[in-house]
Amino acid sequence: MPRIPPVDEADLPASYDVIERQRDALSDRIDSAFWNRQPTVRTFSNNPELGELHVTANTFMWTETGLSGTESEAVIMTVARELDCELLWHDHVGLAVEHDRLSTDQILAIADRETEAFDDSLGALVEYTVEYVTEQGAVGDETHEALAAHYDDDQVVGVVMLAGFYVSLSHEVRALGLTRDGFVGWHLEGHDHEG
């Protein structure tokens, strides 16, 4: 049960400028109605400016990091797992599977913290994200260099900011008691999938 009531969808903005600005980089299903169904947006919009800021920031995190959909989902799901944030895990399992960004085997590897299941670049990305979360941003030189061997400087900035955004979002979700019914489970127990 949320600690503060969600704003009714009818009282949220009918459109968000950032969606039109970033339209070419977004899936067709990402529109204002999509955002207005999200428990984060509905709750954050008790402070309307911050609700809209969340939509803008989240949209840029999906479109401007220089990472592929697979790489972005790997970062987001690793943050969710390391912080045991059920809402983010649940939502991003759906995104990862429905859009062929991560296989169920890769999702389960993140759940079990088995980074050796990934190729060199994705493995370096997941290991970096784990260390970023567990060490509160204090990533070691070796871990940074392993990531930088596969990603350009602008993408490294993208990884750091994407991970930081989702660390913050995980804390916000928990503080406000945001959930979804029918948690998919860390091992996808509540999700129809093929192995």
Side-chain angles (χ1 to χ4, degrees):
M1 183 75 174
R3 289 179 166 167
I4 58 176
V7 174
D8 189 279
E9 289 179 45
D11 295 328
L12 295 174
S15 65
Y16 296 97
D17 292 342
V18 69
I19 294 172
E20 292 315 310
R21 285 177 37 212
Q22 299 298 105
R23 173 48 56 210
D24 291 344
L26 290 169
S27 161
D28 289 341
R29 70 177 194 80
I30 305 297
D31 58 13
S32 298
F34 165 84
W35 280 116
N36 289 346
R37 290 190 301 271
Q38 303 310 309
T40 48
V41 173
R42 292 185 64 204
T43 304
F44 297 164
S45 291
N46 278 283
N47 183 323
E49 294 298 324
L50 293 183
E52 190 162 349
L53 175 65
H54 173 72
V55 172
T56 300
N58 210 152
T59 300
F60 277 114
M61 287 300 150
W62 287 355
T63 59
E64 297 298 330
T65 60
L67 302 176
S68 70
T70 294
E71 292 161 340
S72 293
E73 289 302 337
V75 170
I76 294 165
M77 294 192 70
T78 300
V79 169
R81 182 63 184 115
E82 291 304 310
L83 294 176
D84 292 330
C85 185
E86 291 184 2
L87 177 78
L88 295 181
W89 180 264
H90 180 93
D91 287 355
H92 284 273
V93 163
L95 289 170
V97 172
E98 290 167 24
H99 296 282
D100 294 324
R101 292 178 176 171
L102 292 172
S103 69
T104 54
D105 287 344
Q106 289 173 316
I107 293 169
L108 293 171
I110 291 171
D112 291 332
R113 299 171 171 94
E114 294 174 351
T115 55
E116 65 276 0
F118 299 99
D119 66 24
D120 289 346
S121 61
L122 208 53
L125 181 64
V126 171
E127 288 176 5
Y128 185 97
T129 305
V130 168
E131 191 167 324
Y132 180 96
V133 175
T134 59
E135 298 302 319
Q136 300 173 358
V139 176
D141 290 341
E142 186 176 326
T143 304
H144 171 80
E145 288 163 12
L147 184 72
H150 300 283
Y151 296 93
D152 296 336
D153 290 348
D154 66 320
Q155 292 171 305
V156 172
V157 170
V159 170
V160 168
M161 293 190 71
L162 181 65
F165 180 83
Y166 277 90
V167 166
S168 177
L169 187 55
S170 294
H171 294 325
E172 293 158 5
V173 162
R174 277 204 172 131
L176 294 171
L178 305 184
T179 61
R180 286 210 192 265
D181 293 332
F183 176 52
V184 70
W186 299 114
H187 291 94
L188 312 186
E189 306 90 332
H191 188 268
D192 292 329
H193 66 281
E194 298 175 8

